[in-house]
Amino acid sequence: MKIVVGITGASGSIYGLRLIDTLRQAGHEVHAVVTDSGWRVLDYECGVSREAFAQRVDVLYDNSDIGAAIASGSFRMDAMVIVPCSMKTAGSIAHAVSDNLLTRAADVALKEYRPLLIVPRETPMHAIHLENLLKLSQTGARIIPASPGFYHRPQTLDDLVNMLVGKICDQLGVEHDLFARWQ
């Protein structure tokens, strides 16, 4: 599959990194776009530079390049995942405000009826956040809150990250062994 991964400035960049690594290990092609705030959070939370990040993906786009391939409905992506997704980005997509490449690519996914997975990482949420997520869900996006479960008895932070990334992979139809399934 060809999957676009967007990373915004919400906390939880580790989810995006783990997803990218998992997809690449499974043999999928990963195209990525990162917002300006996303770069700051990637550096702060994970110590990952643009150069190191670029080595993890097949294609990295500049978020200001609104003419990039992923901005077009003729680009044949199989799915897009925004992880983590800030409330600013969710609101922009919910209201079809395509003011950068990431929001335009998400708008394209919706208009072309391709899977769009939104992984919000915000707490608490107020009514406008919830309304925007509801609007996205009603438009066809899948909402996967960054709230890992504990039924698999996690022992480490990696166990928690892997559980959430495994849930994203389940939605994409990507095989994985990131967490023990309920038996």
Side-chain angles (χ1 to χ4, degrees):
M1 286 191 295
K2 186 183 297 182
I3 300 171
V4 176
V5 176
I7 295 179
T8 72
S11 182
S13 299
I14 186 66
Y15 294 124
L17 291 176
R18 185 69 45 83
L19 176 63
I20 288 166
D21 292 345
T22 301
L23 293 172
R24 292 287 307 274
Q25 288 170 3
H28 300 287
E29 185 177 328
V30 177
H31 293 243
V33 59
V34 180
T35 66
D36 289 342
S37 298
W39 287 120
R40 291 184 68 183
V41 176
L42 270 166
D43 179 49
Y44 180 78
E45 290 184 351
C46 303
V48 174
S49 68
R50 289 177 197 238
E51 295 76 23
F53 183 86
Q55 298 301 311
R56 294 173 108 125
V57 300
D58 294 290
V59 181
L60 176 61
Y61 299 95
D62 185 311
N63 193 40
S64 66
D65 184 5
I66 203 71
I70 61 173
S72 173
S74 67
F75 180 78
R76 305 292 269 171
M77 73 168 119
D78 293 293
M80 180 172 185
V81 183
I82 304 173
V83 54
C85 185
S86 67
M87 290 299 104
K88 176 185 185 280
T89 298
S92 293
I93 299 165
H95 294 277
V97 177
S98 300
D99 60 350
N100 61 46
L101 182 58
L102 191 148
T103 56
R104 172 61 186 163
D107 192 50
V108 166
L110 288 173
K111 81 178 186 71
E112 298 293 331
Y113 297 95
R114 295 183 183 133
L116 174 63
L117 284 61
I118 304 285
V119 184
R121 217 305 311 147
E122 185 66 73
T123 192
M125 291 186 198
H126 56 64
I128 296 170
H129 294 154
L130 296 170
E131 286 175 0
N132 286 336
L133 293 174
L134 176 61
K135 182 178 278 205
L136 287 167
S137 178
Q138 291 169 333
T139 307
R142 298 178 203 169
I143 310 300
I144 305 170
S147 53
F150 293 87
Y151 58 84
H152 64 296
R153 297 188 176 162
Q155 300 298 306
T156 67
L157 181 59
D158 274 350
D159 292 341
L160 293 172
V161 170
N162 286 340
M163 186 269 179
L164 182 69
V165 171
K167 291 292 190 176
I168 295 167
C169 288
D170 286 350
Q171 290 295 306
L172 293 170
V174 172
E175 292 295 320
H176 66 86
D177 61 358
L178 293 169
F179 63 89
R181 296 190 181 278
W182 192 255
Q183 301 292 329

